[in-house]
Amino acid sequence: MQKYIKPSTLALGIFMASAASANDALEFSKPDFHMFTSFGALEVENKDFDPEAFELEAGVKGLVSYDRFKMKYEFTVDMAQAANRDDSAADDDEIRVKEAKAFFPTQYGTFLLAPRTTSGTYRNLYDNINIFEYNETHNGRETSTGNPIFNQADEGQDVIAYITPRWHNTFIVAAILAVQEDNDEDAEVKAIRLVHKGEKLNWGLSRIQVDANMHPSATDDYTRMAFTAGYKFDQLHLGATYEINEDTFNSNDFDSYGVAARYSFGKGISAALGYYDKDADIDAADNSGVVFQVKKELSPNIAIWAETGQYDNSDDNIALGVNLKF
């Protein structure tokens, strides 16, 4: 069985290498407190109309410097589940940690240690089509967001990653995730991706491998590959992402893709349209959908929006909301 350096050993190595010649000048930047909330009204097919907190997040981030040692940190909690909770229900997980991570930038690249973090694969490979509020393009979120087409999770846990320095706006990320602690495997998930982030053009490709011991009856490792490309014109953004799922643990391999566009009319008004499709080995799992949104940005901190998702094999939805951030 292939073994990997344990997270604690790697963390100590990063710290010692960065602080080897440090002096007594310890510097803390002023912490940046941030908040994002998206709430409104939601109607999902076969369910009652419901006021809903789609997202409710607050956190802090900043920079610590000690000579050549630098650490960027971020801690964020998500309170949407607590806001939406039925007070008569027993639930101990009202407030959950969404971000608990630290970046260690060096001249040789950046290291990441994260007990919990937004998935870098999700951010880099799905941003081109993840342009909606309720119908977000991911799987595994605590609160369902209405788009069941893709299998990429939006969050990761117990992550160690290395990001290369950028070369002509292109970089590589390699990561391991220690998801379980009692199966004699230090890293159940291995991920690597190549990403280009230009001023107008962006593209990327990724591969994720999940060890078979994550599922009691699996004999092969599950792999998920994704490809994306996007381009920004003056008023138009176009994007596409293709996802391939092989040796899934439920014996139902599938491919998914999405194309999306947002057009800005000026004065903060924009409209977005997306089409998503899932083609599975089991025909009953096939699905497709169209999502449409109109948005008005009242200021850089406030936006109001209306959105609908119409699916062939999932519940349709209509959502109205307001976003506030600072």
Side-chain angles (χ1 to χ4, degrees):
M1 178 179 297
Q2 189 174 9
K3 288 292 183 179
Y4 291 82
I5 298 174
K6 290 186 178 295
S8 58
T9 304
L10 182 58
L12 179 62
I14 294 171
F15 183 87
M16 295 301 295
S18 301
S21 60
N23 56 32
D24 295 331
L26 180 63
E27 298 181 7
F28 286 87
S29 66
K30 182 178 179 181
D32 175 20
F33 294 92
H34 58 274
M35 185 202 76
F36 177 76
T37 178
S38 178
F39 63 94
L42 173 66
E43 182 174 2
V44 178
E45 187 179 6
N46 301 318
K47 295 182 181 180
D48 295 337
F49 168 85
D50 187 25
E52 185 88 2
F54 306 112
E55 295 181 68
L56 182 55
E57 302 170 3
V60 61
K61 56 185 176 181
L63 172 66
V64 179
S65 299
Y66 190 72
D67 194 58
R68 288 184 294 177
F69 171 79
K70 297 183 184 298
M71 181 180 76
K72 296 180 180 180
Y73 61 87
E74 180 177 353
F75 307 104
T76 302
V77 295
D78 179 6
M79 298 166 282
Q81 185 174 344
N84 295 325
R85 175 179 175 266
D86 181 357
D87 288 338
S88 64
D91 190 348
D92 295 331
D93 298 322
E94 294 182 356
I95 299 177
R96 67 185 188 89
V97 175
K98 182 176 181 180
E99 303 279 1
K101 62 186 178 184
F103 291 95
F104 301 88
T106 74
Q107 61 178 322
Y108 306 107
T110 299
F111 295 89
L112 165 70
L113 293 176
R116 172 71 67 173
T117 179
T118 300
S119 167
T121 299
Y122 173 60
R123 182 177 59 251
N124 293 150
L125 274 292
Y126 293 77
D127 266 4
N128 282 318
I129 58 172
N130 186 42
I131 61 176
F132 300 101
E133 300 292 340
Y134 177 73
N135 293 273
E136 294 183 336
T137 53
H138 57 70
N139 180 36
R141 189 187 172 95
E142 293 290 330
T143 302
S144 173
T145 55
N147 191 322
I149 304 297
F150 297 90
N151 216 34
Q152 172 62 45
D154 65 331
E155 294 181 9
Q157 66 185 72
D158 299 328
V159 180
I160 298 175
Y162 167 71
I163 305 102
T164 67
R166 295 201 177 197
W167 182 75
H168 295 286
N169 297 317
T170 305
F171 58 95
I172 297 173
V173 183
I176 57 174
L177 286 73
V179 180
Q180 296 180 346
E181 299 180 359
D182 56 356
N183 59 1
D184 296 324
E185 180 66 37
D186 290 335
E188 292 84 5
V189 181
K190 297 95 175 174
I192 188 166
R193 60 187 180 273
L194 173 66
V195 181
H196 174 82
K197 291 286 186 181
E199 183 176 348
K200 292 184 176 293
L201 173 68
N202 74 83
W203 53 264
L205 53 93
S206 73
R207 185 181 188 275
I208 296 175
Q209 178 179 308
V210 183
D211 198 279
N213 64 17
M214 289 285 290
H215 193 276
S217 61
T219 58
D220 296 314
D221 295 342
Y222 162 46
T223 59
R224 180 171 60 252
M225 293 173 286
F227 311 88
T228 190
Y231 195 86
K232 292 182 179 180
F233 299 90
D234 290 338
Q235 295 174 278
L236 177 66
H237 166 261
L238 296 175
T241 296
Y242 196 97
E243 180 186 274
I244 302 172
N245 294 272
E246 296 181 343
D247 297 319
T248 57
F249 295 151
N250 61 358
S251 300
N252 185 24
D253 296 356
F254 65 93
D255 294 355
S256 298
Y257 71 88
V259 291
R262 179 178 295 278
Y263 186 83
S264 299
F265 298 95
K267 297 183 178 180
I269 300 174
S270 66
L273 179 67
Y275 175 77
Y276 306 95
D277 187 89
K278 176 181 178 180
D279 182 14
D281 288 350
I282 300 174
D283 291 342
D286 290 349
N287 202 355
S288 63
V290 175
V291 182
F292 177 73
Q293 181 200 85
V294 291
K295 178 183 284 189
K296 167 65 175 177
E297 294 183 354
L298 304 177
S299 77
N301 304 97
I302 305 173
I304 55 176
W305 52 269
E307 182 176 303
T308 181
Q310 304 292 313
Y311 298 94
D312 286 344
N313 197 21
S314 299
D315 292 337
D316 301 335
N317 60 76
I318 299 175
L320 307 173
V322 56
N323 294 354
L324 173 64
K325 64 180 179 180
F326 65 81

